[in-house]
Amino acid sequence: MANTQTALKEAMTSIEGALGAALVDYSSGMALGTVGGGKELDLTLAAAGNTDVVRAKVRTMEQLGLQDSIEDILITLGSQYHLIRLLKGRDSQGLFLYLALDKNRANLAMARHQLRRIEAELEI
């Protein structure tokens, strides 16, 4: 089992094209851990902004009466993918993994697969 920092470092090293990763509490919008990012990618700001995305999708699903859960949310930009993976474990309710990828270097299917594996090994 991996702690937060170990899991985020694993995302950065094992996922081709990773630009930054964060573990985020979407009830508060706070990043519980970040790795990567930089001037072009403020992970603290991204964590807060993507919290709004998650909340909006959860609210919309409730309004539609959908009895399902969100696996992940993909935002495709011109040069990047932003992947939001909601955590499913009992101790991780209200949390999501956020991963920013360089679109030219990343394999989206492999990134999703690796993020799922990292989630399974993450201990909160």
Side-chain angles (χ1 to χ4, degrees):
M1 294 305 235
N3 67 24
T4 299
Q5 233 19 60
T6 302
L8 294 176
K9 286 178 184 174
E10 174 73 13
M12 290 297 292
T13 58
S14 70
I15 300 175
E16 183 71 28
L19 300 171
L23 177 66
V24 183
D25 176 344
Y26 68 82
S27 61
S28 68
M30 286 188 57
L32 305 177
T34 63
V35 174
K39 286 183 182 178
E40 294 81 33
L41 181 62
D42 181 338
L43 289 172
T44 303
L45 181 61
N50 284 305
T51 292
D52 292 337
V53 171
V54 171
R55 287 178 186 161
K57 187 59 187 172
V58 168
R59 187 173 51 252
T60 301
M61 287 179 62
E62 288 171 356
Q63 291 170 342
L64 291 170
L66 296 176
Q67 301 300 312
D68 209 343
S69 61
I70 300 168
E71 185 173 330
D72 57 40
I73 298 169
L74 171 65
I75 300 168
T76 305
L77 305 177
S79 63
Q80 296 178 1
Y81 294 123
H82 290 215
L83 189 57
I84 300 166
R85 180 164 184 84
L86 278 70
L87 303 186
K88 303 283 190 253
R90 184 174 52 86
D91 295 333
S92 58
Q93 289 294 325
L95 301 178
F96 66 87
L97 285 167
Y98 167 70
L99 179 66
L101 299 159
D102 180 320
K103 196 172 174 182
N104 292 323
R105 295 185 0 221
N107 177 321
L108 187 54
M110 285 303 297
R112 291 183 71 224
H113 174 74
Q114 289 289 81
L115 207 53
R116 200 170 25 250
R117 181 188 56 77
I118 290 166
E119 174 192 4
E121 295 173 1
L122 179 61
E123 187 172 294
I124 307 293

